[in-house]
Amino acid sequence: MGFHIGSAGEEAAIVASAAAMREVDWIFPCYREFGALLWRGMPLQGYIDNMYGNSNDSCRGRQMPDHYSGKPYRFASVSSPIGTQLPQAVGFSWAAKLKDEKIAVAVYLGEGATSSADFHTAMNFAGVFQTPTVFLIRNNGWAISVPASHQTAAKSFADKGAAYGVPAVRVDGNDALAVYKTVKAAAEEAAAGEGSKLIEMLTYRMSGHSTSDDPRAYRSEQEVEAWQQKDPIVRLRKYLESNQAWSEKDESDCVEQLRTELKACIKKAEESERPSIASMFEDVYREKPWHLKEQQRQAEQGPRHKANH
Ligand SMILES: Cc1ncc(C[n+]2csc(CCOP(=O)(O)OP(=O)(O)O)c2C)c(N)n1
């Protein structure tokens, strides 16, 4: 497994927000939202297959690891180029409005993506055309090594909604129940025809940006430790325990069960076939053009074929 984009510290912002969307609603992720995809019903095996890029992967091994897609779960593909998912989600939600589908479309972004041109394009269109879009900003403090304070001179990222006529609110992104309540209300209003909403979820990226990053190079231990005290999973667990809805045994059973399931998924993914060379040339054209047929023929006789990958 070559690469992973983690969500430690942001679980409440990601999973509780996804849980607040109805099944008919669509989700457009950024790249840190595999928890939302699992919530939506993608089996763990499907996610791990994507990490391995094997022949069972929904992207058929054509993507980097952690670049999943889940059309059956109304979940668009991961968008790595910063901000590109935003106009796509707005266009999608505008189409839904024109078709009178009465759904909402949630789109995730990091606070760094608010500096992209696509953010302004999307917000302006969403505001003017009153699209049923719910913008979910995960303000996790950092855009790789750039602190949130370098992204805006505004007091908050929620402040940006006013300029586009999009109602906006800032919520404690480490409080799963607050996230759920806020997103649910916004999605219901959007689906009912009241237009777009912007929600800034204040949280923290506990891990590096990805497995290719070492955050010790640009941020202090003290900062990380302070946020560790606000771990959203621990907070939710304590709340449930104090209401006799969860126990230490539930926790250890759950962890054990997940560990076993994960190990089995990894084993199966490792044993699964690699994507065929032919799959590189499929799914774009109904009729394969001559030059692709020629390239396929060459690839199937070339060194990759002999090396079985
Ligand atoms: C157009 C574009 N420019 C630069 C990058 C490199 N890049 C990848 S992630 C990232 C930071 C994004 O930060 P943020 O939007 O806050 O999201 P986070 O990673 O914190 O969830 C950058 C600059 C990219 N993927 N796309």
Side-chain angles (χ1 to χ4, degrees):
M1 211 184 289
F3 179 75
H4 176 55
I5 312 176
S7 58
E10 299 178 61
E11 296 92 341
I14 292 167
V15 182
S17 54
M21 305 300 291
R22 297 165 311 159
E23 232 174 86
V24 288
D25 298 330
W26 270 79
I27 293 181
F28 278 62
C30 167
Y31 43 61
R32 226 176 265 293
E33 288 84 17
F34 63 92
L37 178 59
L38 294 173
W39 174 270
R40 271 286 160 129
M42 165 79 103
L44 188 57
Q45 186 68 59
Y47 173 62
I48 300 296
D49 284 336
N50 173 256
M51 294 296 288
Y52 277 82
N54 63 30
S55 56
N56 302 322
D57 167 23
S58 62
C59 299
R60 306 186 73 196
R62 296 159 179 161
Q63 273 283 17
M64 285 174 71
D66 244 330
H67 283 59
Y68 31 85
S69 165
K71 195 174 174 190
Y73 316 104
R74 296 188 165 224
F75 195 95
S77 356
V78 160
S79 213
S80 250
I82 298 303
T84 47
Q85 74 277 23
L86 302 168
Q88 291 165 5
V90 170
F92 190 95
S93 54
W94 190 39
K97 181 178 173 168
L98 294 177
K99 290 192 268 178
D100 200 24
E101 285 181 350
K102 301 205 167 26
I103 61 163
V105 177
V107 58
Y108 291 88
L109 63 149
E111 83 291 340
T114 63
S115 298
S116 72
D118 277 344
F119 174 74
H120 302 282
T121 308
M123 288 292 293
N124 197 45
F125 198 103
V128 171
F129 291 94
Q130 298 272 290
T131 61
T133 325
V134 181
F135 294 88
L136 296 170
I137 303 180
R138 294 180 287 91
N139 177 2
N140 63 13
W142 292 90
I144 311 187
S145 57
V146 179
S149 58
H150 285 201
Q151 303 291 353
T152 186
K155 286 210 175 68
S156 76
F157 291 93
D159 271 4
K160 291 173 182 274
Y164 304 100
V166 172
V169 66
R170 187 186 223 197
V171 65
D172 179 349
N174 281 16
D175 180 341
L177 300 179
V179 169
Y180 180 85
K181 196 172 170 214
T182 310
V183 176
K184 192 168 176 13
E188 280 171 5
E189 286 167 18
E194 290 181 33
S196 297
K197 313 280 166 188
L198 174 72
I199 299 171
E200 175 186 355
M201 303 180 289
L202 199 55
T203 181
Y204 192 75
R205 192 193 77 213
M206 294 304 296
S207 61
H209 170 74
S210 70
T211 46
S212 307
D213 176 41
D214 181 356
R216 288 172 304 183
Y218 53 80
R219 68 186 191 185
S220 73
E221 288 287 317
Q222 293 93 306
E223 181 180 303
V224 180
E225 278 162 20
W227 277 94
Q228 223 147 25
Q229 306 305 315
K230 303 176 193 168
D231 185 306
I233 295 184
V234 175
R235 270 173 79 178
L236 183 61
R237 197 171 82 215
K238 282 188 178 161
Y239 174 79
L240 292 174
E241 282 172 0
S242 67
N243 284 284
Q244 281 76 50
W246 196 249
S247 67
E248 246 176 65
K249 178 159 171 17
D250 289 330
E251 181 72 14
S252 56
D253 288 353
C254 178
V255 169
E256 193 47 43
Q257 189 193 326
L258 284 175
R259 193 165 285 151
T260 308
E261 195 188 340
L262 188 58
K263 276 188 190 158
C265 290
I266 289 174
K267 185 164 185 292
K268 192 163 173 220
E270 281 174 346
E271 290 167 359
S272 295
E273 295 221 346
R274 292 166 173 171
S276 68
I277 285 180
S279 71
M280 273 198 295
F281 301 92
E282 292 163 357
D283 299 335
V284 176
Y285 296 98
R286 184 185 295 208
E287 293 280 335
K288 209 178 281 178
W290 69 268
H291 67 282
L292 286 188
K293 285 186 191 158
E294 178 61 19
Q295 285 175 25
Q296 180 174 347
R297 194 184 57 74
Q298 286 173 4
E300 285 180 337
Q301 292 169 357
R304 282 192 77 210
H305 178 60
K306 288 185 200 124
N308 191 27
H309 65 80

